[in-house]
Amino acid sequence: EVQLVESGGGLVQAGGSLTLSCAASGFTFDFDDYTMGWFRQAPGKEREGVSRIDISDGTTYYAGSVRGRFTMSSDDAKNMVSLEMNGLKPEDTAVYYCAASPAPVPLGMEFDYWGQGTQVTVSS
């Protein structure tokens, strides 16, 4: 079974930093054959893509709302990805989800596997 487990969520003040992690297990293929993504969903809002990374070559993508503030990275040996979030704003408050699919995953295409999410709350 494929399992994605997010960690690192919590409460942080505006302007602060927080790092989320996602541990992956049970993949059918090698970890470097996957694309990993972070999504978030705030109350009353649609789920939106935050970032993604192709494990094979480290290529990343960021939504415009987080570009320059968030950094996604991977640790291939640990089958993990992380999302370093800096300069957090109240509008970043959401449940953050880790997702995975065999690469490539074009923008707009649905991911196959999802974690349960971790809450990030940014206070003002």
Side-chain angles (χ1 to χ4, degrees):
E1 64 185 289
V2 173
Q3 187 171 19
L4 305 175
V5 181
E6 303 96 337
S7 62
L11 175 65
V12 64
Q13 292 183 324
S17 298
L18 201 62
T19 298
L20 307 181
S21 296
C22 174
S25 63
F27 283 171
T28 301
F29 308 111
D30 292 340
F31 186 56
D32 63 4
D33 292 329
Y34 286 82
T35 296
M36 303 288 293
W38 286 100
F39 292 77
R40 67 186 183 185
Q41 187 165 27
K45 302 291 186 180
E46 294 184 350
R47 187 183 67 194
E48 63 175 338
V50 174
S51 66
R52 63 183 63 198
I53 187 169
D54 293 325
I55 304 301
S56 62
D57 61 9
T59 300
T60 54
Y61 168 84
Y62 300 95
S65 59
V66 308
R67 189 173 294 115
R69 299 189 296 122
F70 292 10
T71 301
M72 188 175 184
S73 60
S74 63
D75 186 335
D76 298 3
K78 297 181 179 180
N79 285 18
M80 294 184 66
V81 296
S82 63
L83 183 68
E84 181 183 351
M85 304 182 293
N86 301 306
L88 284 163
K89 306 173 181 179
E91 52 262 45
D92 294 319
T93 295
V95 177
Y96 283 71
Y97 298 92
C98 179
S101 279
V105 184
L107 293 177
M109 183 173 290
E110 187 63 86
F111 280 71
D112 292 334
Y113 310 110
W114 294 83
Q116 292 299 304
T118 185
Q119 177 71 46
V120 172
T121 303
V122 184
S123 64
S124 60

